[in-house]
C-alpha cells in the first residue's frame, strides 16, 4: 500500500512538473497570441480612426458648403427685402395723392383685364 502511494505520489509529482513546464510554454504561446490579437485590433482601430477622420472631414466640407449657400441666400433675401421696401414706399406715395389713386386703380384694372383676356384666349386655343 505504501508502495502504491509512493508511486502515485511520484506520478503526480512528475505530472505537476510537466504541467508547470506546460504552463510556461502555454503562457508564452498565449502571450504571443494575445500580442498578435492586440496588433490586429490596433490595426483595426487605426483603420476606423482614419475612416472616421475622413468622414468628419467630409461632413465639415458639407457643412461649410451649406453655410456658404445659406449666406448667399440671406444676402439675396436682404437685397430683395430692400427692393420690396422701396416699392412699397412708392405705392404709399401714389395712394396718398387722390389723383394718383385713380390712375393706380385704372392701371390695376387694365392689368386684371389683360390677364383675364389672356387666359380666355389661351383656354380657347388649347381647348
Amino acid at each position: 500500500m505504501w508502495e502504491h502511494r509512493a508511486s502515485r505520489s511520484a506520478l503526480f509529482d512528475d505530472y505537476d512538473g510537466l504541467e508547470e513546464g506546460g504552463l510556461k510554454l502555454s503562457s508564452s504561446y498565449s502571450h504571443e497570441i494575445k500580442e498578435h490579437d492586440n496588433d490586429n485590433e490596433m490595426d483595426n482601430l487605426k483603420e476606423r480612426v482614419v475612416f472616421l477622420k475622413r468622414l468628419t472631414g467630409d461632413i465639415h466640407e458639407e457643412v461649410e458648403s451649406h453655410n456658404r449657400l445659406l449666406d448667399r441666400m440671406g444676402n439675396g433675401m436682404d437685397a430683395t427685402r430692400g427692393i420690396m421696401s422701396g416699392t412699397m414706399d412708392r405705392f404709399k406715395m401714389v395712394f396718398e395723392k387722390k389723383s394718383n389713386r385713380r390712375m393706380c386703380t385704372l392701371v390695376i384694372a387694365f392689368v386684371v383685364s389683360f390677364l383675364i383676356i389672356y387666359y380666355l384666349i389661351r383656354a380657347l386655343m388649347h381647348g
Side-chain angles (χ1 to χ4, degrees), residues 5 9 17 21 28 41 47 49 55 83 87 91 101 103 117:
R5 283 187 183 166
S9 173
S28 171
E41 289 300 319
E47 289 174 10
V49 168
L55 183 64
I83 292 170
T87 303
F91 270 120
R101 196 177 309 159
M103 180 60 89
I117 292 170

Side-chain angles (χ1 to χ4, degrees), residues 35-118:
E35 280 188 28
H36 180 72
D37 289 345
N38 283 343
D39 289 343
N40 285 342
E41 289 300 319
M42 287 293 289
D43 289 341
N44 289 339
L45 186 60
K46 285 178 187 177
E47 289 174 10
R48 289 178 186 166
V49 168
V50 167
F51 173 75
L52 288 174
K53 186 175 180 180
R54 197 175 320 127
L55 183 64
T56 55
D58 291 345
I59 290 171
H60 178 74
E61 288 177 19
E62 191 70 23
V63 167
E64 290 293 321
S65 171
H66 282 91
N67 282 340
R68 286 190 298 272
L69 177 66
L70 288 173
D71 286 342
R72 285 194 304 259
M73 282 180 59
N75 292 339
M77 292 296 281
D78 288 342
T80 303
R81 187 176 300 124
I83 292 170
M84 289 297 290
S85 177
T87 303
M88 293 305 291
D89 288 342
R90 288 187 198 105
F91 270 120
K92 285 179 187 175
M93 286 175 40
V94 167
F95 280 108
E96 284 175 1
K97 298 179 182 175
K98 208 170 197 180
S99 63
N100 286 338
R101 196 177 309 159
R102 286 184 190 154
M103 180 60 89
C104 189
T105 304
L106 186 62
V107 169
I108 290 173
F110 175 75
V111 169
V112 169
S113 300
F114 175 78
L115 289 174
I116 291 172
I117 292 170
Y118 172 77

Side-chain angles (χ1 to χ4, degrees), residues 24-34:
K24 287 179 187 172
L25 179 65
S26 173
S27 175
S28 171
Y29 181 70
S30 172
H31 183 56
E32 285 181 26
I33 290 175
K34 287 179 183 176

